Amino acid sequence: MDFIHSELVDPATFDSEGLCEGINLRKHFDTASEAIGALRAQRDWSKTVAPLKDFHGGLGPRFSFVCLTLPECLPDRLEIVSYANEYAFLYDDVMEHIESTEHEEATAGLVDVFDENHEKDDFNAPEIGAKQLRQQILTEMMAIDKERAIISMKAWLTFIQLASSRDRSEPFRSFEEYLLYRIIDVGEIYWFGAVTFGMAFTIPDNEMELCKQLTRPAFAAISLTNDLYSWEKEYKEAQHNGMPHVVNAIWVLTNELSVSDSKAKEICRVKIKQYVSEYRNILREVGCNETISTDLKRYVEALQYSISGHLVWSIYCPRLGYQTSRERSLPRGSQDTCDTDELMYEI
């Protein structure tokens, strides 16, 4: 990869808690476009779907999601990728708070919109609610790069269908069973569409299965990272809603191994480190493999920054419970600043 749109973040200015050793953190130069896209999605959702209350998406006081996890996103695609990602956060929050029957109906509606329109030049979805926003996302992406927008839409459709195929009301019997589900649920296929569109990659059809195999450890690390830092938030929500179990690796490990949640967290941290180490080995092997296409190599390389970006964002973001950068002790020499704060308030 050529690094054109991002810079390395000084390790002295953030705490990764030792969970992504050997992988750098990069940050996109254009933090403003991410903020514009995310805040535009929030504004549009408030106008067309429902008012937002206590919502925290991808933006943060120090680090924001897309600029960290996709640091080499092409500048002309950054805003719409951020918009789509914020929509995904919004939609995910809504889905977590409705009954299973309503969930099936809402999911079916989302699938219908993608399925009816993903190969058409124009979109005629009803301009109401969330469908209007999905139409807007698809239209904007198609205007930039029709071929890769179609690939991204198909990936999103597949993600929705697979993620909704498992009944979340049923507890998982083992960690291995859970992780296979969680990798899909965290957005393995959706993120493939976002990265390939955002960076203009085209993975050959004959390499798709290889792509999945090579990147599985990266998505395992990302899935467990999400669970580790969202545990308290999700546990409290499950208790509040009277749920008998939590769809989280910490809950699964606690029950399968009969350990405390603090011990389960330790085990989760070890597993994250193992998957990160495995992915670093894959990066080295792929770099020396002359039979793999350039775009697949670049995709594999790009995902390492999704690992480190997701980790640091999870540690510092309001979405998972972190409220302000001053509430957390910062490494020596770090600065408690955010390029997008003023822009966010202006918008």
Side-chain angles (χ1 to χ4, degrees):
M1 283 174 54
D2 295 323
F3 296 101
I4 302 171
H5 310 298
S6 66
E7 61 183 348
L8 283 172
V9 181
D10 184 353
T13 64
F14 65 89
D15 184 6
S16 66
E17 301 186 359
L19 293 181
C20 63
E21 293 182 2
I23 297 181
N24 292 321
L25 180 70
R26 300 193 70 92
K27 182 180 180 182
H28 203 288
F29 290 126
D30 189 8
T31 55
S33 287
E34 177 181 7
I36 291 170
L39 293 171
R40 186 161 61 92
Q42 292 181 24
R43 180 198 64 199
D44 292 350
W45 183 279
S46 295
K47 289 181 177 180
T48 61
V49 182
L52 296 179
K53 182 179 180 181
D54 298 326
F55 171 75
H56 295 293
L59 300 179
R62 295 192 63 214
F63 299 109
S64 294
F65 187 83
V66 176
C67 280
L68 287 191
T69 57
L70 194 50
E72 281 296 309
C73 183
L74 297 177
D76 66 329
R77 305 176 187 217
L78 181 58
E79 182 181 336
I80 186 56
V81 170
S82 177
Y83 187 106
N85 193 75
E86 198 75 0
Y87 174 91
F89 279 142
L90 287 158
Y91 189 82
D92 183 60
D93 281 7
V94 171
M95 291 300 101
E96 287 183 354
H97 294 91
I98 63 176
E99 298 295 330
S100 58
T101 302
E102 294 177 282
H103 185 287
E104 293 175 2
E105 293 174 354
T107 300
L110 181 59
V111 169
D112 288 343
V113 172
F114 278 92
D115 203 26
E116 290 169 3
N117 296 295
H118 72 264
E119 289 184 343
K120 295 182 181 179
D121 290 331
D122 58 341
F123 300 94
N124 299 308
E127 291 191 0
I128 56 174
K131 287 187 177 183
Q132 181 180 346
L133 302 191
R134 292 193 290 272
Q135 175 187 347
Q136 184 170 321
I137 292 170
L138 304 186
T139 302
E140 290 187 29
M141 290 177 65
M142 291 282 281
I144 295 171
D145 184 339
K146 179 179 177 180
E147 178 182 353
R148 294 188 179 92
I150 290 173
I151 293 172
S152 182
M153 287 180 240
K154 289 181 177 179
W156 201 343
L157 170 61
T158 303
F159 158 66
I160 294 165
Q161 293 172 324
L162 291 176
S164 62
S165 63
R166 212 275 189 189
D167 185 359
R168 289 167 62 97
S169 66
E170 293 294 323
F172 293 87
R173 293 169 294 181
S174 68
F175 174 79
E176 288 72 21
E177 178 194 22
Y178 170 77
L179 186 58
L180 288 174
Y181 162 81
R182 188 68 176 106
I183 288 172
I184 296 172
D185 185 60
V186 82
E188 173 189 30
I189 302 172
Y190 160 77
W191 196 240
F192 169 84
V195 174
T196 53
F197 175 81
M199 298 182 69
F201 293 160
T202 300
I203 310 300
D205 289 342
N206 65 338
E207 289 187 332
M208 289 301 297
E209 186 58 34
L210 175 61
C211 176
K212 184 176 180 180
Q213 293 173 9
L214 291 173
T215 58
R216 183 52 63 93
F219 286 106
I222 290 170
S223 300
L224 296 179
T225 295
N226 185 281
D227 283 8
L228 178 64
Y229 291 100
S230 65
W231 165 245
E232 279 77 13
K233 174 178 177 285
E234 293 180 355
Y235 178 71
K236 289 178 181 178
E237 289 178 351
Q239 283 190 315
H240 177 74
N241 296 324
M243 297 293 294
H245 66 277
V246 188
V247 184
N248 186 292
I250 306 303
W251 189 91
V252 176
L253 290 168
T254 297
N255 286 270
E256 182 182 8
L257 303 178
S258 299
V259 297
S260 65
D261 60 347
S262 59
K263 182 61 178 178
K265 285 183 178 181
E266 292 178 17
I267 296 171
C268 188
R269 289 177 179 275
V270 170
K271 290 182 178 293
I272 291 171
K273 291 180 180 180
Q274 290 173 342
Y275 283 119
V276 169
S277 177
E278 183 179 346
Y279 199 65
R280 290 204 312 269
N281 292 333
I282 288 173
L283 283 166
R284 287 191 287 269
E285 293 170 2
V286 167
C288 300
N289 192 330
E290 298 300 326
T291 67
I292 298 177
S293 68
T294 299
D295 273 7
L296 177 53
K297 286 187 176 184
R298 289 172 175 165
Y299 178 71
V300 171
E301 185 177 358
L303 279 191
Q304 68 180 304
Y305 303 108
S306 294
I307 295 174
S308 58
H310 195 102
L311 170 64
V312 174
W313 175 79
S314 297
I315 293 173
Y316 290 94
C317 73
R319 183 171 175 80
L320 301 185
Y322 175 77
Q323 296 302 317
T324 71
S325 52
R326 291 183 179 84
E327 292 176 7
R328 185 180 185 86
S329 58
L330 302 177
R332 187 182 303 274
S334 63
Q335 295 182 350
D336 181 14
T337 60
C338 176
D339 306 78
T340 60
D341 278 349
E342 291 185 7
L343 178 62
M344 289 165 64
Y345 285 112
E346 288 176 6
I347 293 178

